[in-house]
Amino acid sequence: MIGENIHDIRKRRGLTLSEVAERAGISKSYLSNIERNLHQNPSLRVMEKIASVLNVELKVLLMTEKNHETCPLDKEWLEFVRELKK
C-alpha cells in the first residue's frame, strides 16, 4: 500500500521515477521496488526523504484504505485537493 501511495502521488505531481529518486538521494531501482511493493519495509529515513520530495506529510504515504475509513477528515481533504487540481 505504501508503494501505491508513493506512485499515485508522484504521478499526480508529474514527477518521474528518476526525478524523485535523485531528489531523495536514493537509487531509481530502489524507489521502483518500493512503488511495486517488492521492498515493503523501507526505512523511516527513506520514507521521510520521499515524503519531502513529494511535498506531503509522512503519514500520507503511510495511509492505508483502513486509515482513510477511520480518518474521514483526511479523506475529505485529499478529495478537496484533487478537485482543486482539476
Side-chain angles (χ1 to χ4, degrees):
M1 189 56 97
I2 292 171
E4 291 173 21
N5 290 346
I6 293 169
H7 180 265
D8 291 344
I9 294 167
R10 177 178 64 77
K11 289 293 190 178
R12 285 196 306 260
R13 300 276 194 270
L15 297 168
T16 66
L17 198 65
S18 297
E19 289 171 323
V20 173
E22 184 178 324
R23 293 177 191 178
I26 60 176
S27 74
K28 180 180 171 181
S29 62
Y30 183 58
L31 179 57
S32 176
N33 286 342
I34 293 171
E35 283 192 2
R36 293 180 294 140
N37 293 313
L38 299 177
H39 189 90
Q40 296 182 2
N41 194 19
S43 73
L44 184 57
R45 182 68 189 130
V46 167
M47 293 301 297
E48 287 172 338
K49 289 178 181 182
I50 294 170
S52 177
V53 170
L54 296 176
N55 197 30
V56 295
E57 291 185 38
L58 180 59
K59 71 178 184 174
V60 173
L61 297 183
L62 301 176
M63 285 289 221
T64 64
E65 286 301 316
K66 187 174 181 179
N67 292 138
H68 287 296
E69 291 170 9
T70 60
C71 301
L73 184 57
D74 286 339
K75 185 175 182 179
E76 289 175 15
W77 179 252
L78 289 174
E79 288 299 318
F80 174 71
V81 171
R82 286 185 192 124
E83 288 298 316
L84 286 176
K85 287 183 178 185
K86 289 180 184 177

